[in-house]
Amino acid sequence: MDANRAIRSPVIRNAFPHSQHSSFPFLFDRALVILAEIMASTSSFLPSWPADLAAKGWDQLDILIISGDAYVDHPAFGPALVARWLEHHGYRVGMIAQPRWDSIEDISRLGRPRLFVGVSAGNLDSMLNKLTAQKKVRSTDDYSPGGQPGLRPNRATVVYSNLCRQAFPGLPIILGGIEASLRRLAHYDYWSDSVRRSVLFDAKAHLLVFGMAERAIVQIAHRLNRGETVDQLTEIPGTAHPLGSPRQWKHLAEASSQRPGDGKPLLLPSFEEVRADKKAFARMARLAHAESSPYHARCLLQPHGDEAVWLNPPALPLKTEELDRLYRLPFCRAQHPSYEKPVPALATVRHSLAVVRGCFGGCAFCSIAEHEGRIVQSRSPDSILEEVRLLVKGKGFDGTLTDVGGPTANMYGLRCKNEALQRVCRRSSCLHPRVCRHLGTDAGPYLHVLRALRKVPGVRHVLVQSGIRLDLAERSPAFVQELAQFHTGGQLSVAPEHCQSHVLQAMRKPSIECYERFARIFDNASQRAGKKQYLIPYWVVGHPGDTLADVVELALYLQRHGLRPRQVQEFIPTPMSVATAMYYTGIDPSTGKPVAVERDLRRKRAMKSLLLYWDSKHWPMAREALVLAGRSELIGVLVPKGPRKRR
Ligand code: SF4
């Protein structure tokens, strides 16, 4: 819509009736011009304001999406992706991003939608977004305009859901996004150091969509649209729902069975049991992780007092052509023009390509498999090239594709070679403890895509910045050669994580020797390419199994190899990962054996300081760590004995 036309339009005049009676007509007219300009540029975004609805001539939305992130219309932003997918299926969808939570005014500004309201905390768990591993408040929020913190509430899923209930009594409330997905069962919450109920109960929502939502959310919309009630939507794969009284679930619990393959639901230890007994918690974690395949998972039932949560099996992964369709949707690939400041997370993804979904690595500290699934899904080369041609024509593209990846870049195009076996396979990782012989590990499809991207007119550099699996990469010297030659901007980040074999075993990561072999291959490849390039290895401290003594060994390893990390990560127990179950219980759920866990925040800071042994800022704490570890003899070896003398 043209701005001058918009200012005269009755839609805008009616939306702001007071301006016509104002004693400052000029100021109000100026404000209307600005509003009209915003409207002119927002016409391709989904409606966020009453005037957007009016401009489309809609009197009511079908579906309203509430998001804890700023509104960025880009496929890397989950709420926007789901909203566009629903729009593609014929629904009128609106988006309210980062609403105020002290009243229902913001959340209700587009009116009551016809079918349901979808609630997401955004791309990250709201507690992880807000607090660090040391439980300190983060100074920025990459998913907010200008990186401004404090624009979403703690436990945003629960807060928004409660607001929606007040604003739209009786309307179905559907939870989705990472926060809801990973808190679908009773779970350990690091930030409150407590076991919490399934988020369904705190949010008092009707349904929860876990994992990637496309299949489930469209089924929900279609069935509500056909006149079914939300209470009838009890068997959609990828959803969970509450059972509010013993009458609704006792008979299901009685019919349950602990034997896989008999088609009966599996009864998990109750919320009360897992809260009171760490062994019961570890058992719940083992059972829930074992039932995560969309091909053979059973329904899960977990009592919470008189209520219970029912989980259907995960939804089937999207096929290549479905993924392609998703990425072809008319995303603006921009933040909403009403924001004055840039949303930092957009800068990271603006000129990058997500080509793969899911991960079969099974790292213990990562919940990607619990959310995106273990079955890797890849887009077609045509779809990727189509997106690149759009990017090249778009505003601000300087010739560099900053990433071509996903959770693990070099899993693109890989799959289990034995489809029948995959349908019954119960391994939690195709790579750990060793690469499965049924896994296709040919890097050819990924190389094919990278080569095609390098030839696109207007593309000068194609970088790979997503993580790569070293145990896969070392099997393909051709891939490492091209990676070093064309796709590394001088530095390549890799994640060996640790050097101690029992710690890597607890993490379900490959051995340090694998990293060393890869480093040699990469170094040779860089030399052949005539380039001086470096690996930037990531190290983690405080993972279950990792003690102060192990970190001393890791620091000595780094020193021996001349490695001076600039950043060291502290393990954060996020909901639902295997490592979080270990952290909370001190038990490895898969073996039932005890695992050493460091919970003291100061000792964890000391661990981190040890790995930063070369930086004088960290020497006092590193010395303290060596004393605590009973390794005082290393003071003077790993770090100097005292502060540097001033000259
Ligand atoms: S059989 Fe092997 S490759 Fe196939 S799904 Fe199982 S672990 Fe993965």
Side-chain angles (χ1 to χ4, degrees), residues 71 202 239 307 312-313 319 334 341 378 389 395 405 422 425 483 490 506 516 552 642:
Y71 180 17
D202 289 336
T239 65
E307 300 170 296
N312 290 306
K319 296 186 185 122
K341 294 186 178 163
S378 308
R389 290 188 193 109
K395 217 163 105 187
Q422 183 183 35
C425 178
L483 184 69
E516 290 168 356
V552 174

Side-chain angles (χ1 to χ4, degrees), residues 416 421-422 425 427 429-430 436 438-439:
C416 178
L421 194 54
Q422 183 183 35
C425 178
R427 269 181 69 163
S429 165
C430 302
C436 175
H438 297 291
L439 181 69

Side-chain angles (χ1 to χ4, degrees), residues 81 84-85 88-89 215 218 318-331 379-380 383 386:
L81 184 86
R84 285 288 182 196
W85 189 239
H88 172 69
H89 283 82
R215 285 198 194 287
V218 168
L318 292 188
K319 296 186 185 122
T320 294
E321 51 277 19
E322 291 170 310
L323 258 189
D324 289 357
R325 194 141 47 96
L326 194 58
Y327 280 86
R328 214 171 279 136
L329 299 180
F331 294 101
R379 290 168 63 191
S380 72
S383 154
E386 199 178 303

Side-chain angles (χ1 to χ4, degrees), residues 316-445:
L316 286 172
L318 292 188
K319 296 186 185 122
T320 294
E321 51 277 19
E322 291 170 310
L323 258 189
D324 289 357
R325 194 141 47 96
L326 194 58
Y327 280 86
R328 214 171 279 136
L329 299 180
F331 294 101
C332 301
R333 293 171 191 279
Q335 63 185 50
H336 195 273
S338 59
Y339 301 131
E340 286 175 4
K341 294 186 178 163
V343 178
L346 176 61
T348 319
V349 296
R350 177 172 238 144
H351 297 131
S352 74
L353 299 165
V355 299
V356 66
R357 246 189 200 188
C359 181
F360 48 68
C363 299
F365 49 79
C366 176
S367 331
I368 283 177
E370 310 318 318
H371 189 67
E372 295 194 13
R374 286 194 170 83
I375 296 163
V376 160
Q377 304 142 70
S378 308
R379 290 168 63 191
S380 72
D382 284 349
S383 154
I384 297 166
L385 288 170
E386 199 178 303
E387 187 179 355
V388 167
R389 290 188 193 109
L390 265 182
L391 284 185
V392 169
K393 280 193 231 144
K395 217 163 105 187
F397 183 69
D398 63 0
T400 300
L401 287 175
T402 53
D403 191 21
V404 182
T408 309
N410 58 338
M411 284 189 187
Y412 177 84
L414 302 190
R415 59 167 67 94
C416 178
K417 290 184 288 186
N418 188 334
E419 220 173 289
L421 194 54
Q422 183 183 35
R423 285 178 177 271
V424 293
C425 178
R426 290 194 162 263
R427 269 181 69 163
S428 59
S429 165
C430 302
L431 300 176
H432 187 86
R434 67 197 70 80
V435 179
C436 175
R437 67 194 167 90
H438 297 291
L439 181 69
T441 56
D442 175 17

